[in-house]
Amino acid sequence: MDKNNLEQIIFGGGCFWCVESCFNMLKGVESAISGYSGGHKENPTYEEVCTGTTDHAEVVQITYDPAIISYEQLMDVFFFLHDPTQLNRQGNDIGTQYRSVIFYKDDAEKQSAEKALKTSEESGRWSGTYVTELAPFEKFWPAEQYHQGYYNVNPNQPYCSAVVGPKIQKFKKHFGELGMLNIE
């Protein structure tokens, strides 16, 4: 991986434990870090974000090598991992912090996000109208250390067993068949 040519993308698709775990398995992804973005509170905590009053979303900051994995492939994974037709929720996780959102850094990235959103919506993968928000990136706040790699440390925690684990298995099956995973 060429560390000089790495790029970043930030998006939210529900609980960041699910999203982070999967992206960290992809070839070409150097890191996926859980955090918060899109709100007005400086240095928000998990407890504050969970109140819904900070306007932050649970997000993942992906650092990747575009020579190995493309923006479009990352967007395909993003739209695979969550239901972009659910407004301010993913399954039983309800609140604006669980919204579907893509943060873009410039007009070119906004156009790429719009194209990826349209491509996914036209694919018919999810029935219904997409509610994914496109928002200008302002600031990323890393989540507390105990959230980083949470599933890997806590696979038997009830939420992880019931929600994260099955999602990861579905992800591994689909993207493993495409040869995109950096695991055996």
Side-chain angles (χ1 to χ4, degrees), residues 81-113:
L81 288 176
H82 79 293
D83 182 346
T85 68
Q86 292 187 340
L87 183 62
N88 297 328
R89 71 178 298 159
Q90 284 300 300
N92 291 327
D93 294 328
I94 300 171
T96 57
Q97 69 270 29
Y98 299 114
R99 68 188 179 269
S100 176
V101 59
I102 301 168
F103 291 97
Y104 58 87
K105 294 184 183 106
D106 55 33
D107 285 338
E109 197 168 274
K110 180 181 181 185
Q111 289 175 1
S112 294

Side-chain angles (χ1 to χ4, degrees), residues 9-11 23 64 70-80 82 84 100-104 107-126 130-134:
I9 185 170
I10 297 168
F11 41 64
F23 276 94
Y64 68 100
S70 70
Y71 180 89
E72 292 76 19
Q73 288 172 308
L74 292 169
M75 285 288 102
D76 188 42
V77 172
F78 170 69
F79 286 117
F80 179 86
H82 79 293
S100 176
V101 59
I102 301 168
F103 291 97
Y104 58 87
D107 285 338
E109 197 168 274
K110 180 181 181 185
Q111 289 175 1
S112 294
E114 288 170 339
K115 182 180 176 188
L117 195 146
K118 183 178 179 187
T119 297
S120 183
E121 193 165 22
E122 290 174 350
S123 76
R125 179 182 290 158
W126 299 100
Y130 280 35
V131 294
T132 302
E133 174 187 346
L134 297 178

Side-chain angles (χ1 to χ4, degrees), residues 162-174:
V163 178
V164 184
K167 186 175 280 199
I168 288 173
Q169 292 310 311
K170 179 180 168 188
F171 165 79
K172 283 180 176 180
K173 182 177 188 312
H174 182 77

Side-chain angles (χ1 to χ4, degrees), residues 3 30 33 40 43 53 56 62 65 79 91-93 96 103 107 132 136 149-150 170:
K3 301 244 187 228
E30 180 186 74
I33 300 171
H40 60 272
N43 292 308
T53 61
H56 285 289
I62 315 279
D65 184 341
F79 286 117
N92 291 327
D93 294 328
T96 57
F103 291 97
D107 285 338
T132 302
Y150 190 85
K170 179 180 168 188

Side-chain angles (χ1 to χ4, degrees), residues 19-56:
V19 178
E20 175 210 285
S21 296
C22 293
F23 276 94
N24 271 320
M25 292 180 211
L26 290 171
K27 291 178 186 174
V29 171
E30 180 186 74
S31 67
I33 300 171
S34 293
Y36 316 108
S37 199
H40 60 272
K41 173 88 170 72
E42 298 283 315
N43 292 308
T45 65
Y46 179 71
E47 289 74 21
E48 291 170 330
V49 171
C50 284
T51 68
T53 61
T54 69
D55 295 328
H56 285 289

